[in-house]
Short mmCIF file of all heavy atoms in Angstrom, two decimals:
data_model
loop_
_atom_site.label_atom_id
_atom_site.label_comp_id
_atom_site.label_asym_id
_atom_site.label_seq_id
_atom_site.Cartn_x
_atom_site.Cartn_y
_atom_site.Cartn_z
N TYR U 210 -5.95 -3.31 -29.20
CA TYR U 210 -6.66 -3.30 -28.01
C TYR U 210 -7.02 -1.81 -27.71
O TYR U 210 -6.49 -0.92 -28.23
CB TYR U 210 -5.95 -3.97 -26.77
CG TYR U 210 -4.51 -3.36 -26.56
CD1 TYR U 210 -4.24 -2.31 -25.84
CD2 TYR U 210 -3.39 -4.12 -26.97
CE1 TYR U 210 -3.00 -1.80 -25.55
CE2 TYR U 210 -2.11 -3.73 -26.82
CZ TYR U 210 -1.93 -2.59 -26.04
OH TYR U 210 -0.61 -2.12 -25.88
N GLN U 214 -7.47 5.00 -19.62
CA GLN U 214 -6.13 5.58 -19.12
C GLN U 214 -6.41 6.64 -18.02
O GLN U 214 -7.20 7.58 -18.39
CB GLN U 214 -5.31 6.21 -20.27
CG GLN U 214 -4.97 5.18 -21.40
CD GLN U 214 -4.06 5.72 -22.41
OE1 GLN U 214 -4.34 6.75 -23.05
NE2 GLN U 214 -3.00 5.03 -22.78
N LEU U 222 -6.13 1.68 -28.62
CA LEU U 222 -4.70 2.03 -28.41
C LEU U 222 -3.90 0.96 -29.19
O LEU U 222 -3.32 1.40 -30.26
CB LEU U 222 -4.40 1.76 -26.92
CG LEU U 222 -5.07 2.86 -26.01
CD1 LEU U 222 -5.08 2.43 -24.55
CD2 LEU U 222 -4.50 4.22 -26.13
N GLY U 223 -3.76 -0.26 -28.75
CA GLY U 223 -3.09 -1.28 -29.42
C GLY U 223 -1.62 -1.29 -29.20
O GLY U 223 -1.07 -0.41 -28.57
N ASP U 224 -0.83 -2.21 -29.74
CA ASP U 224 0.60 -2.30 -29.59
C ASP U 224 1.17 -1.21 -30.46
O ASP U 224 1.44 -1.40 -31.64
CB ASP U 224 1.14 -3.68 -30.13
CG ASP U 224 0.86 -4.85 -29.16
OD1 ASP U 224 0.76 -4.68 -27.91
OD2 ASP U 224 0.71 -6.01 -29.64
N GLY U 225 1.57 -0.12 -29.84
CA GLY U 225 2.05 1.04 -30.62
C GLY U 225 3.61 0.87 -30.87
O GLY U 225 4.20 1.46 -31.73
N ARG U 226 4.28 -0.01 -30.06
CA ARG U 226 5.68 -0.22 -30.18
C ARG U 226 6.09 -1.63 -29.83
O ARG U 226 7.28 -1.88 -29.60
CB ARG U 226 6.49 0.76 -29.46
CG ARG U 226 6.11 0.76 -27.96
CD ARG U 226 7.21 1.49 -27.22
NE ARG U 226 6.70 1.80 -25.91
CZ ARG U 226 7.47 2.45 -25.09
NH1 ARG U 226 8.64 2.84 -25.38
NH2 ARG U 226 7.08 2.69 -23.86
N TYR U 248 -0.81 1.13 -34.74
CA TYR U 248 -1.34 1.55 -33.38
C TYR U 248 -0.45 2.56 -32.70
O TYR U 248 -0.58 2.85 -31.50
CB TYR U 248 -1.51 0.31 -32.50
CG TYR U 248 -2.39 -0.69 -33.13
CD1 TYR U 248 -1.66 -1.83 -33.83
CD2 TYR U 248 -3.72 -0.66 -33.33
CE1 TYR U 248 -2.42 -2.83 -34.47
CE2 TYR U 248 -4.46 -1.57 -33.91
CZ TYR U 248 -3.84 -2.69 -34.53
OH TYR U 248 -4.54 -3.63 -35.16
N SER U 249 0.54 3.06 -33.50
CA SER U 249 1.54 3.88 -32.84
C SER U 249 1.05 5.27 -32.51
O SER U 249 1.67 6.05 -31.77
CB SER U 249 2.83 4.06 -33.67
OG SER U 249 3.48 2.81 -33.90
N ARG U 250 -0.11 5.70 -33.01
CA ARG U 250 -0.72 7.04 -32.77
C ARG U 250 0.28 8.10 -32.93
O ARG U 250 0.91 8.25 -33.98
CB ARG U 250 -1.39 6.99 -31.44
CG ARG U 250 -2.57 5.96 -31.34
CD ARG U 250 -3.24 5.90 -30.05
NE ARG U 250 -2.25 5.40 -28.99
CZ ARG U 250 -2.18 5.86 -27.70
NH1 ARG U 250 -3.02 6.76 -27.28
NH2 ARG U 250 -1.33 5.30 -26.93
N GLY U 252 3.14 8.23 -31.37
CA GLY U 252 4.53 7.73 -30.88
C GLY U 252 5.34 7.38 -32.11
O GLY U 252 4.87 7.11 -33.18
N ASP U 253 6.59 7.08 -31.75
CA ASP U 253 7.48 6.62 -32.81
C ASP U 253 7.70 5.16 -32.95
O ASP U 253 8.39 4.69 -33.87
CB ASP U 253 8.85 7.38 -32.70
CG ASP U 253 9.48 7.09 -31.34
OD1 ASP U 253 8.95 6.16 -30.60
OD2 ASP U 253 10.52 7.70 -31.02
N GLY U 254 7.20 4.40 -32.01
CA GLY U 254 7.32 2.93 -32.08
C GLY U 254 8.65 2.44 -31.38
O GLY U 254 8.81 1.22 -31.28
N PHE U 255 9.41 3.40 -30.84
CA PHE U 255 10.65 2.95 -30.29
C PHE U 255 10.68 3.05 -28.75
O PHE U 255 9.77 3.52 -28.18
CB PHE U 255 11.81 3.70 -30.87
CG PHE U 255 11.88 3.49 -32.42
CD1 PHE U 255 11.58 4.47 -33.28
CD2 PHE U 255 12.16 2.20 -32.95
CE1 PHE U 255 11.60 4.36 -34.63
CE2 PHE U 255 12.22 2.09 -34.29
CZ PHE U 255 11.86 3.16 -35.16
N ARG U 293 13.55 11.99 -27.01
CA ARG U 293 12.63 11.94 -25.92
C ARG U 293 12.68 13.22 -25.11
O ARG U 293 13.81 13.62 -24.82
CB ARG U 293 12.86 10.70 -25.00
CG ARG U 293 12.41 9.42 -25.56
CD ARG U 293 10.94 9.21 -25.57
NE ARG U 293 10.57 7.96 -26.13
CZ ARG U 293 10.51 7.59 -27.42
NH1 ARG U 293 10.80 8.54 -28.34
NH2 ARG U 293 10.16 6.43 -27.81
N VAL U 384 1.24 2.85 -13.71
CA VAL U 384 0.28 3.15 -14.73
C VAL U 384 -0.67 1.95 -14.86
O VAL U 384 -0.70 1.17 -15.83
CB VAL U 384 0.92 3.28 -16.15
CG1 VAL U 384 0.09 4.07 -17.15
CG2 VAL U 384 2.27 4.05 -16.06
N ASP U 388 -5.40 -1.00 -20.26
CA ASP U 388 -4.53 -1.63 -21.30
C ASP U 388 -3.25 -2.17 -20.73
O ASP U 388 -2.49 -2.92 -21.46
CB ASP U 388 -4.26 -0.65 -22.39
CG ASP U 388 -3.73 0.70 -21.90
OD1 ASP U 388 -4.35 1.33 -20.98
OD2 ASP U 388 -2.55 1.04 -22.21
N ASN U 389 -2.99 -1.95 -19.53
CA ASN U 389 -1.71 -2.49 -18.90
C ASN U 389 -2.10 -3.61 -17.88
O ASN U 389 -1.35 -3.92 -16.98
CB ASN U 389 -0.99 -1.42 -18.18
CG ASN U 389 -0.34 -0.46 -19.25
OD1 ASN U 389 -0.11 -0.82 -20.42
ND2 ASN U 389 0.02 0.70 -18.72
N ASP U 398 3.96 -4.42 -18.47
CA ASP U 398 4.30 -3.11 -18.93
C ASP U 398 4.94 -2.28 -17.82
O ASP U 398 4.28 -1.48 -17.14
CB ASP U 398 2.93 -2.33 -19.42
CG ASP U 398 2.74 -2.74 -20.90
OD1 ASP U 398 3.53 -3.55 -21.44
OD2 ASP U 398 1.87 -2.10 -21.52
P1 AMP O 811 1.96 2.50 -21.84
O1 AMP O 811 1.17 3.38 -20.91
O2 AMP O 811 3.43 2.77 -21.94
O3 AMP O 811 1.68 1.07 -21.69
O4 AMP O 811 1.42 2.86 -23.33
C1 AMP O 811 0.13 3.22 -23.66
C2 AMP O 811 -0.10 3.14 -25.12
O5 AMP O 811 0.81 3.95 -25.85
C3 AMP O 811 0.10 1.74 -25.79
O6 AMP O 811 -0.82 1.59 -26.81
C4 AMP O 811 1.54 1.79 -26.29
O7 AMP O 811 1.72 0.96 -27.31
C5 AMP O 811 1.52 3.18 -26.80
N1 AMP O 811 2.92 3.75 -26.79
C6 AMP O 811 3.72 4.04 -25.76
N2 AMP O 811 4.90 4.53 -26.19
C7 AMP O 811 4.92 4.53 -27.48
C8 AMP O 811 5.83 4.88 -28.49
N3 AMP O 811 7.07 5.33 -28.16
N4 AMP O 811 5.44 4.77 -29.80
C9 AMP O 811 4.16 4.28 -30.09
N5 AMP O 811 3.40 3.92 -29.23
C10 AMP O 811 3.64 4.05 -27.90
#
Side-chain angles (χ1 to χ4, degrees):
Y210 56 81
Q214 298 186 311
L222 297 166
D224 285 332
R226 56 164 164 180
Y248 310 99
S249 294
R250 298 177 295 142
D253 56 9
F255 300 111
R293 286 289 179 276
V384 201
D388 52 300
N389 290 339
D398 277 9

